[in-house]
Amino acid sequence: MHTMNGTQDERPNWGRLALGLALFIAYGSLLPFHYVPRSLESALAHFRSAPVQSVDLLAGTGWVANLLIYAALAFPVTAWAERARGKTKGTALAVLLAGAMAIAVEFAQIWFPPRTVSLNDLVAEFIGIGIGIVLWHGAGRKLTSLHMQLHVYAPSRARALFLLYVAAYIIASLMPFDFVLSPHELQAKLASGSDGLWLPASTCSSAVSCLSGFGAELLSTIPIGILLSVLIPGWRLTRVALLVGLALGVMIELMQVLLASASGNGISILTRTLGVVAGTVIVRSLTSARLQRIRPFIRPLVLGAALIYLGGALALQDLHDAELTAFGFSDGLEKLSWLPFYYHNYMTEANALRSLILTAMLYAPVGILLWAWRYGSGWPRASGRRALLVAMGLAALMEAGKLLLPGTQPDPANVLIAAIAGWLGYVLTRQFAILLANPPGARKLDELAPLPLVPPPTHD
């Protein structure tokens, strides 16, 4: 989008985001699309008599999910409406549009069992709409400013990336926000033994899952240390990194004690802190001279890392014991539902979100490895689009492998999640590299030629 003077408008396109979220909500709310004919009069009578259900520790996750989904919808709707109609009229229009969406979806669910309608859902959705509108008026302009700062170089860009990444990291760590609702529920959760000062037994069901979980915590905090290295040069960096890592780890683990589907433990505090510190060590180690010396060895290192990654992915998916059985493969293929996110419909909100996040974390390294390969070899075909296709192909093979194992369920939605995760892994790695390769300043991206750390640009 371009402004009147011909410059590019770098503000987010809130209208497209709102439309995409609305379509996704409608799709997810009507899965698995088992349409049952019903007269309009009967549907209206059923809607008017919608029951009020009790909200307990388990059912509360669905209530909170509805609240969060419509808060996420109301935020861009308010941004778009305010830009089109002004603050007062825009807010009223946002309430009207998001509220109509909530009512229409709940009403449509009457024709699509096993979906049910309750006043709890509508109350949660309208509370979420209110929260989304308040969040826009309180933080919307700041978020827009941070988004625009992503188009300039350090320190403005680094500061924006740091704030956005930390916010996204905290949100992902606390999903699905199923906080215990009473002292009795908190006492029951503490008595269950899922939380502990060191390592609760329920945290690690197997060595693979335990190592992968803590490894993911460590790796996901490395970007925070990298950004701190840009923001805080000098002797203070190590001390600040330790404090930031400890504060982030303690805050998240304490909050997870209050979540019904999570567990707080001391090791996670250490892994998050180590991740932040490791990010600063990586930046200090990757000097231009050292990078040039190791560049000839990057491709072999990437190949070795790729083999380790594939082995770990197979172990996590339990595919290392798969046996090629044509009958089992074809039988499973016949029973497979190809509707995206069909199987998420039969999970609790907590398990569905956890599955989505873990799948994304599993395939994001594909993009990181492709960027490293491109840097080491100058491979002109490596790009965000290529990372998307490679991650999609790998996920398709992984899901097909599940057809060979009894008791496992392939999910076509994982292929879509993997594609987005692989693309994001590549794009974010490239953006971090650009940030580290260029000196501080407020120049635009297209005003700087790529420096040695950043491979020649391609059309991603």
Side-chain angles (χ1 to χ4, degrees), residues 108 124 180 195 278 292 297 322 335 340 414:
V180 294
D195 305 286
Q292 291 302 320
F297 307 101
K335 298 177 181 179
N414 288 342

Side-chain angles (χ1 to χ4, degrees), residues 10 142-161 163:
E10 294 164 349
K142 178 63 176 177
L143 183 62
T144 302
S145 175
L146 290 174
H147 178 272
M148 296 177 71
Q149 289 177 36
L150 294 177
H151 297 269
V152 297
Y153 277 93
S156 297
R157 193 176 188 218
R159 188 182 304 112
L161 272 173
L163 293 174

Side-chain angles (χ1 to χ4, degrees), residues 50-301:
V52 178
Q53 300 172 347
S54 61
V55 179
D56 55 25
L57 185 62
L58 297 177
T61 58
W63 194 87
V64 172
N66 285 327
L67 186 151
L68 293 174
I69 287 170
Y70 278 88
L73 174 65
F75 190 91
V77 169
T78 308
W80 171 82
E82 184 177 301
R83 187 176 180 184
R85 301 295 182 185
K87 184 173 182 179
T88 303
K89 291 183 179 179
T91 300
L93 180 59
V95 173
L96 178 64
L97 291 176
M101 173 75 185
I103 294 172
V105 167
E106 289 296 321
F107 186 62
Q109 285 181 334
I110 296 174
W111 282 275
F112 292 91
R115 296 292 183 174
T116 59
V117 180
S118 72
L119 289 179
N120 300 63
D121 293 338
L122 282 172
V123 169
E125 289 156 8
F126 273 88
I127 291 175
I129 291 170
I131 291 174
I133 292 172
V134 170
L135 284 175
W136 166 255
H137 288 305
R141 288 173 179 81
K142 178 63 176 177
L143 183 62
T144 302
S145 175
L146 290 174
H147 178 272
M148 296 177 71
Q149 289 177 36
L150 294 177
H151 297 269
V152 297
Y153 277 93
S156 297
R157 193 176 188 218
R159 188 182 304 112
L161 272 173
F162 177 79
L163 293 174
L164 291 173
Y165 187 89
V166 170
Y169 182 83
I170 293 173
I171 290 172
S173 299
L174 300 182
M175 280 186 174
F177 296 95
D178 51 343
F179 290 99
V180 294
L181 304 175
S182 67
H184 173 72
E185 291 174 347
L186 177 59
Q187 185 178 6
K189 183 175 186 293
L190 293 175
S192 68
S194 60
D195 305 286
L197 291 175
W198 188 239
L199 182 62
S202 59
T203 302
C204 291
S205 56
S206 66
V208 172
S209 64
C210 189
L211 291 174
S212 62
F214 291 128
E217 291 174 351
L218 188 149
L219 293 174
S220 60
T221 50
I222 286 178
I224 298 175
I226 294 175
L227 291 170
L228 282 175
S229 300
V230 178
L231 292 171
I232 309 173
W235 63 270
R236 296 181 300 160
L237 178 59
T238 302
R239 183 182 301 176
V240 172
L242 280 170
L243 291 175
V244 169
L246 281 171
L248 187 66
V250 170
M251 182 194 70
I252 290 176
E253 294 308 310
L254 287 178
M255 295 292 285
Q256 288 188 341
V257 172
L258 302 176
L259 295 175
S261 60
S263 63
N265 64 85
I267 289 186
S268 291
I269 297 175
L270 295 178
T271 55
R272 298 180 204 276
T273 304
L274 286 173
V276 176
V277 174
T280 66
V281 173
I282 290 172
V283 173
R284 286 180 171 179
S285 302
L286 294 181
T287 61
S288 297
R290 189 169 295 171
L291 278 171
Q292 291 302 320
R293 286 198 301 269
I294 68 171
R295 191 165 189 168
F297 307 101
I298 287 180
R299 284 200 300 172
L301 290 173

Side-chain angles (χ1 to χ4, degrees), residues 415-438:
V415 178
L416 298 177
I417 298 170
I420 296 172
W423 176 80
L424 279 175
Y426 179 90
V427 170
L428 289 176
T429 303
R430 183 174 184 272
Q431 294 306 313
F432 275 102
I434 291 173
L435 185 66
L436 292 172
N438 291 276

